[in-house]
């Protein structure tokens, strides 16, 4: 990924009752992320929407002049969610609201952060949502972080009614990562999980291939300096990767 010169950061937050104890973590995460962003650029905007897009659904716009107290209060501005439909809310916010038209600046790289202790419940499939994201951004760089309950999350932190965020994890896998554990220390993981600081050194595969069928390309040029570990089903790169490059991994059964 290329380091952005400008950035819009949108948090899509589940504000249902079970999440109210986690608002402080959201505020701390926003403030920490702001510090990481400012090592790259001062041209950034941050905002939060709830995941039902009802009543008071927008808090922002926050930037380099925002006081930490404003970040602390930000999640509490939002109305309580009546549903947890993050994908539908994001789509509607971007396409059909005045706040979305103002906040999401055309041509500016985007970072989207979804936070919920329940599964994403909109009727939009992950595949269709990812297709819309690609179409909406065109040639503009964007990245996604999802923070959700995982299968191995600490049972002591999983409240009644919480569910595993399979759709969030599936969306993350389109970006060669997994959902950040909601029960972990995810405030510190926000920048490291995004294109702001994350250096690409490996890629976990979605299929289980025959090792000798794997082919790796950097900007369309076949590479030889890599290795594959079947125990993690991951290809590890040992060649230099310039910012903004495109890496593709394929499976060639003929071995040519």
């Amino acid at each position: 990924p290329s380091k952005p010169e400008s950035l819009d950061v949108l948090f899509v937050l589940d504000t249902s009752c079970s999440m109210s104890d986690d608002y402080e973590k959201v505020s701390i995460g926003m403030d920490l992320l702001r510090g990481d962003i400012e090592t790259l650029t001062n041209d950034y905007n941050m905002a939060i929407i709830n995941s039902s897009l009802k009543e008071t659904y927008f808090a922002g716009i926050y930037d380099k002049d925002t006081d930490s107290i404003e970040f602390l209060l930000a999640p509490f501005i939002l109305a309580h969610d009546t549903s947890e439909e993050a994908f539908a809310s994001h789509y509607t916010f971007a396409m059909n609201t005045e706040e979305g038209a103002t906040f999401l600046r055309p041509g500016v790289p985007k970072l989207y952060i979804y936070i919920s202790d329940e599964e994403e419940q909109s009727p939009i499939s992950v595949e269709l949502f990812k297709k819309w994201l690609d179409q909406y951004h065109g040639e503009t760089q964007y990245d996604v972080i999802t923070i959700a309950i995982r299968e191995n999350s600490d049972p002591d932190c999983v409240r009644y009614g919480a569910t595993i965020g399979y759709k969030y994890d599936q969306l993350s896998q389109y970006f060669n990562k997994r959902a950040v554990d909601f029960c972990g220390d995810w405030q510190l993981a926000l920048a490291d999980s995004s294109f702001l600081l994350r250096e690409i050194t490996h890629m976990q595969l979605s299929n289980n291939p025959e090792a000798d069928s794997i082919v790796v390309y950097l900007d369309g040029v076949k590479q030889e300096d890599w290795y594959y570990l079947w125990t993690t089903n991951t290809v590890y790169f040992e060649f230099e990767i310039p910012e903004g490059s495109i890496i593709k991994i394929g499976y060639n059964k003929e071995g040519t």
Side-chain angles (χ1 to χ4, degrees):
S2 301
K3 302 299 187 294
E5 296 181 359
S6 302
L7 186 66
D8 294 334
V9 183
L10 179 66
F11 286 74
V12 184
L13 177 65
D14 172 2
T15 61
S16 59
C17 292
S18 63
M19 285 289 297
S20 58
D21 291 341
D22 296 289
Y23 285 176
E24 185 176 357
K25 293 177 68 176
V26 176
S27 300
I28 294 171
M30 292 182 69
D31 212 0
L32 289 172
L33 181 62
R34 183 255 295 270
D36 290 320
I37 292 171
E38 289 179 356
T39 65
L40 302 174
T41 179
N42 284 320
D43 182 14
Y44 67 91
N45 288 330
M46 303 176 74
I48 318 177
I49 61 172
N50 65 19
S51 60
S52 61
L53 214 67
K54 294 180 180 179
E55 300 179 34
T56 305
Y57 60 80
F58 180 77
I61 299 173
Y62 307 112
D63 56 22
K64 62 182 179 63
D65 296 320
T66 298
D67 190 273
S68 294
I69 293 178
E70 293 184 66
F71 281 122
L72 181 64
L73 297 176
F76 296 92
I77 295 173
L78 304 174
H80 285 299
D81 274 331
T82 55
S83 60
E84 292 79 29
E85 300 184 350
F87 294 173
S89 295
H90 182 174
Y91 173 83
T92 303
F93 175 75
M95 302 298 290
N96 298 315
T97 69
E98 293 183 5
E99 295 93 340
T102 300
F103 174 72
L104 298 170
R105 297 174 290 174
V108 173
K110 304 289 188 288
L111 175 59
Y112 301 115
I113 302 168
Y114 306 88
I115 306 174
S116 179
D117 64 350
E118 296 187 45
E119 173 66 295
E120 202 283 330
Q121 299 171 22
S122 72
I124 303 174
S125 69
V126 178
E127 294 83 0
L128 185 60
F129 187 61
K130 177 60 166 58
K131 182 177 180 180
W132 170 73
L133 285 172
D134 289 342
Q135 292 173 341
Y136 177 78
H137 295 92
E139 299 300 317
T140 303
Q141 185 175 219
Y142 77 97
D143 199 4
V144 162
I145 299 173
T146 65
I147 299 169
I149 301 294
R150 303 195 312 196
E151 291 180 330
N152 60 346
S153 291
D154 183 354
D156 291 337
C157 108
V158 179
R159 304 181 184 92
Y160 176 77
T163 53
I164 297 173
Y166 292 109
K167 289 177 71 175
Y168 292 117
D169 190 46
Q170 186 180 350
L171 178 62
S172 289
Q173 290 181 55
Y174 276 106
F175 299 86
N176 304 310
K177 50 192 169 185
R178 305 299 297 269
V180 176
D181 187 1
F182 181 89
C183 296
D185 190 10
W186 49 261
Q187 304 104 308
L188 297 176
L190 288 178
D192 290 335
S193 301
S194 76
F195 61 11
L196 300 179
L197 300 178
R198 178 169 50 92
E199 181 181 2
I200 302 298
T201 59
H202 62 274
M203 187 181 297
Q204 188 173 38
L205 306 183
S206 56
N207 298 314
N208 293 308
E210 297 177 6
D212 59 1
S213 73
I214 299 172
V215 287
V216 179
Y217 297 91
L218 173 66
D219 291 331
V221 179
K222 188 175 180 181
Q223 302 293 310
E224 304 295 342
D225 294 332
W226 55 269
Y227 64 93
Y228 170 74
L229 288 182
W230 67 269
T231 53
T232 59
N233 195 28
T234 299
V235 174
Y236 297 87
F237 310 124
E238 295 187 314
F239 50 85
E240 182 179 354
I241 304 174
E243 289 184 5
S245 299
I246 296 175
I247 298 174
K248 293 185 178 182
I249 297 177
Y251 312 102
N252 190 329
K253 292 183 178 180
E254 287 72 32
T256 58

